[in-house]
Amino acid sequence: MSMKLFVSSVLVLINAICVQCVYMDEAYLTDWHLANIGEYRCVFDSQKKDKLIILSEIDEGTVITYLNKTDGTPTVRQKLSSVVDDVLRYGDNDIYFKSGNDYIKFNDEAGLDYDVVTKNLTSLNSICSPNSQNIKMDKNNIRVIDTDSNLELMNVKLPNNFTSFVYATTDGIENLSVLFTTGELKYMFQNYKNGNITESWERNESLTDIVAHAYVTLPDLELLQTSDEILAEYTLSNPIFAYLHRIKNNINRIISFIRMNRLSPGTILTNILFSDTVDGSETIKTKQNFKFGFSKLLIVGTKRGQISALDILNGKPLWNLHPLDKKIVSIEWNSSSKEFIVVYETGQYFAYKLTDFYAPIQSFNGSLKSQVRSINLLDDSSTLYVNYKSGDKEIVSLSKSDDLLQNKVIFITDHNERGLSGHMQNSTDKIMNTWKIDIPKNEKLVAYAKRIDEPIANIGVVTGNRTVLYKYLYPNLVSYAVVDKETKSLYIDIVDSVTGSVLYTQKHDDSVNDKLPINMVFGEHWIVYSYFSSNPIPEQKLVVIELYDSLSLDVRVSDPNKTYNPLDGIYKPKVITKSYFFPEIIKSLQLSKTKFNIASKAILIETQDGQMSYIPKYIVGARRKEEKLMTDDDKKEFMAAPYNSNIPSNDHFVITHSRQLLMGNESIISSVATNLESTSIVCNLGHDIFCTKIYPSSQFDIMNPTFEKGKLLLTIVIMSLVLFFIRPRMTIKQLKTKWMVRD
């Protein structure tokens, strides 16, 4: 026994030595963050000599930013709840922020530590204007003048794109620092010593305050070529000719591959075995990005009317357009015509065609009848549902080549704070009002969500004993939340968007705080919403409602072979619900998207402290039970876990890592699918821009880059050769055994 134990211990030790574990933090590798400052309203020196302090605006507040003088990198940003009108200096050192009638003392040495001063102050000098005592500006020249002798100490010529000064300071001897604009929200800093530039950097703040966006998937030219070849095969009536055509294309592809590798057998073998593991090959990375669906454009629109395209993998700007200095309401991408349509608040719109996806060409423009409140793209066309600020609604086809709605009848649900309304539109009639839900005066609609329109991977939930609980998959569902401002109650309603009938209502009487965000998302057969309540104690709550055909196992009420008419009435769902506590105040919610909707859904969360995280849907489950109530079958269910009302903070789900986002009140969380079912790209757009990749069900469909494909293939070849030689001997041995012939 002791010998067996010794041998087992040795084997375990050898196995432990052979195991190689790699721990990789993907922070700053698969994500990027554009930390914007905005328009520089005031710039002055920090007592820390290597820093500038910049004041800018966001929503109804002011942002204080510490900027590194050497490279222009923001080190600290903090938002104040009030707007700073001016920055004043009292005496030599004391600095005060003037906000209305209040003066806020700013302690630079202690960081962003300030106290409100109510008494009136005298002898205050503004420090927001550039120092002009010994600095003279003349067109594109800046001169440093000695105040005593009035002699010129330094004369510097600035770039031709110089627009205006924001900040300038000098020691009156040999050093000069200037910060100036070179265009709309574009800034350049230069530091001079004896007339020579010692430091220089630029910052582009034009991508601040994103209000609209669209994703464009870049085509893989190799896949397009393959698609063209397949289409060419379909044009051939004879299958033999089509097969010969495919063989010819494959032979040409092999010849091309051999020529590309210069007829070298060693190079050809190396590329076959190790092509995907060669470090530093940008060509290979680009091919992989196209193959995995990572190559996309993020087209964004700002409050000031700028349109920009960014590489979604690194945030690199690719092109910019600025047709109007007005707020953009919507950017809609039409994949069939390869056009994106930009609609402005004034009602003017512009359409751009992306023929090569890198150089937009304006295809048409026009104007709607009045100012626009919201825009929605109907189907994959240039047909838009327009909601005007006047209250009018209209369906407009912006492209003459589009057949309006393609003879389809479309049901539309609209909403505002005062209620919901349903509309119907076909190819001949105008918009018809079909139903309406009015909200009482003492109530307010605070959240709205429409059921996601994505592929259905599974029609039921498989339980631990292999039975099925069928999902309620009626597609025409919307949900909304209403707060009673007097009783502080929250009502959740689920509505049929075709008829306006209420299918389910849920109420919360725990003193809901309607001053904090209330959010809602509608998944495949479930709804998740968040709200902050004060009773019995102040808590951020996350509630899930799951809809089922029936609560009886293996019982399906709906008939998949039958077509239901919503106007005849539909059966109501069976509901299970659970509540959870979340440790942070939730600012907004969104759902992740994947190509086939097979991977677990992730509930994307932006918190008020400037972080982003996500929760896999199975954690926020309505069917979770307390451990003492769980049966053996319950424990066998996929990702089964006992019910715990508290959702703990998990650092693995915080996707912003140590970054701090400054997004603003109109921030947008969005997600786009890739060709990898496990991977979803998530972006948060607002004052800042942040994008990353998430894997809610882990990376089950991609291998690690360090996977040694060459060794695996070599092992297979060797094993095949060994079997080739061993097999005849085994056949002879089996034959001798049958005939009882001894060797």
Side-chain angles (χ1 to χ4, degrees), residues 40 43 45 52 67-72 135 140-142 144 154-162 164-170 174-182 187-203:
Y40 297 179
V43 182
D45 279 306
L52 286 176
L67 201 67
N68 197 323
K69 277 187 178 181
T70 57
D71 56 8
I135 298 177
N140 281 24
N141 284 49
I142 181 169
V144 179
M154 196 184 309
N155 191 328
V156 174
K157 183 174 177 59
L158 297 175
N160 293 328
N161 56 354
F162 161 80
S164 62
F165 280 102
V166 178
Y167 159 89
T169 185
T170 180
E174 58 180 3
N175 294 310
L176 170 68
S177 297
V178 290
L179 179 64
F180 52 89
T181 60
T182 59
Y187 299 90
M188 177 178 284
F189 176 86
Q190 291 183 340
N191 189 65
Y192 295 88
K193 186 171 184 178
N194 295 324
N196 299 317
I197 297 178
T198 57
E199 292 172 352
S200 179
W201 48 261
E202 296 181 63
R203 282 191 61 87

Side-chain angles (χ1 to χ4, degrees), residues 195-452:
N196 299 317
I197 297 178
T198 57
E199 292 172 352
S200 179
W201 48 261
E202 296 181 63
R203 282 191 61 87
N204 186 350
E205 306 291 349
S206 63
L207 290 175
T208 306
D209 297 329
I210 304 300
V211 292
H213 73 287
Y215 295 104
V216 178
T217 301
L218 300 178
D220 187 347
L221 298 180
E222 291 185 1
L223 291 179
L224 289 178
Q225 181 184 354
T226 305
S227 178
D228 292 339
E229 291 174 358
I230 293 173
L231 289 175
E233 291 177 11
Y234 277 107
T235 60
L236 300 174
S237 57
N238 193 322
I240 296 176
F241 291 157
Y243 183 68
L244 292 175
H245 179 75
R246 178 173 294 188
I247 291 175
K248 180 182 176 182
N249 288 331
N250 288 336
I251 290 173
N252 290 334
R253 196 174 282 111
I254 292 171
I255 292 172
S256 231
F257 178 75
I258 293 172
R259 286 176 179 172
M260 186 176 64
N261 290 281
R262 301 177 183 178
L263 306 177
S264 170
T267 306
I268 293 172
L269 187 61
T270 301
N271 282 336
I272 292 174
L273 295 179
F274 307 105
S275 61
D276 57 350
T277 60
V278 178
D279 295 332
S281 176
E282 292 299 325
T283 304
I284 293 170
K285 289 181 181 178
T286 302
K287 287 183 178 180
Q288 288 180 341
N289 290 335
F290 276 115
K291 183 177 180 181
F292 296 154
F294 296 159
S295 295
K296 298 179 187 293
L297 294 182
L298 172 61
I299 302 178
V300 295
T302 69
K303 281 185 179 179
R304 293 164 299 280
Q306 179 174 310
I307 310 160
S308 300
L310 308 176
D311 187 334
I312 203 169
L313 290 176
N314 52 34
K316 180 182 177 182
L318 301 176
W319 47 260
N320 296 293
L321 302 169
H322 206 150
L324 286 179
D325 289 327
K326 301 294 182 181
K327 182 179 179 180
I328 294 174
V329 174
S330 178
I331 299 177
E332 303 290 348
W333 167 247
N334 184 347
S335 59
S336 59
S337 64
K338 294 183 174 58
E339 288 178 325
F340 67 92
I341 301 169
V342 183
V343 183
Y344 285 82
E345 192 177 35
T346 57
Q348 293 169 283
Y349 60 83
F350 298 83
Y352 296 91
K353 186 174 284 291
L354 287 178
T355 51
D356 63 353
F357 293 87
Y358 291 101
I361 301 171
Q362 184 175 319
S363 52
F364 60 89
N365 63 76
S367 182
L368 301 171
K369 66 180 184 181
S370 64
Q371 289 196 335
V372 176
R373 183 169 72 92
S374 64
I375 292 285
N376 291 100
L377 184 69
L378 300 179
D379 297 336
D380 192 8
S381 64
S382 298
T383 306
L384 304 176
Y385 171 68
V386 186
N387 195 336
Y388 295 102
K389 288 187 176 181
S390 61
D392 295 339
K393 301 171 179 65
E394 184 183 16
I395 289 184
V396 181
S397 180
L398 301 183
S399 176
K400 295 180 180 179
S401 61
D402 279 344
D403 238 348
L404 187 62
L405 302 183
Q406 299 177 348
N407 297 322
K408 294 180 180 178
V409 176
I410 293 183
F411 293 93
I412 303 165
T413 305
D414 200 1
H415 70 282
N416 55 38
E417 285 189 358
R418 303 310 322 146
L420 281 80
S421 56
H423 313 282
M424 184 180 72
Q425 168 77 38
N426 57 29
S427 58
T428 56
D429 299 329
K430 294 182 179 180
I431 291 180
M432 298 173 56
N433 299 327
T434 55
W435 56 269
K436 188 176 182 181
I437 297 176
D438 292 320
I439 305 297
K441 290 184 179 180
N442 61 317
E443 297 178 356
K444 179 176 66 172
L445 191 148
V446 291
Y448 171 87
K450 180 183 177 182
R451 182 184 178 274
I452 59 171

Side-chain angles (χ1 to χ4, degrees), residues 644-697:
N644 184 350
S645 60
N646 292 305
I647 298 178
S649 296
N650 191 329
D651 293 340
H652 294 288
F653 294 150
V654 178
I655 58 179
T656 45
H657 308 290
S658 61
R659 303 180 190 272
Q660 182 185 19
L661 306 185
L662 196 63
M663 303 310 300
N665 293 336
E666 297 184 17
S667 63
I668 308 164
I669 302 177
S670 64
S671 174
V672 61
T674 66
N675 292 341
L676 296 176
E677 176 61 22
S678 67
T679 307
S680 178
I681 297 178
V682 174
C683 290
N684 197 354
L685 312 171
H687 187 83
D688 289 359
I689 302 178
F690 172 79
C691 289
T692 187
K693 299 174 191 170
I694 63 169
Y695 321 97
S697 299

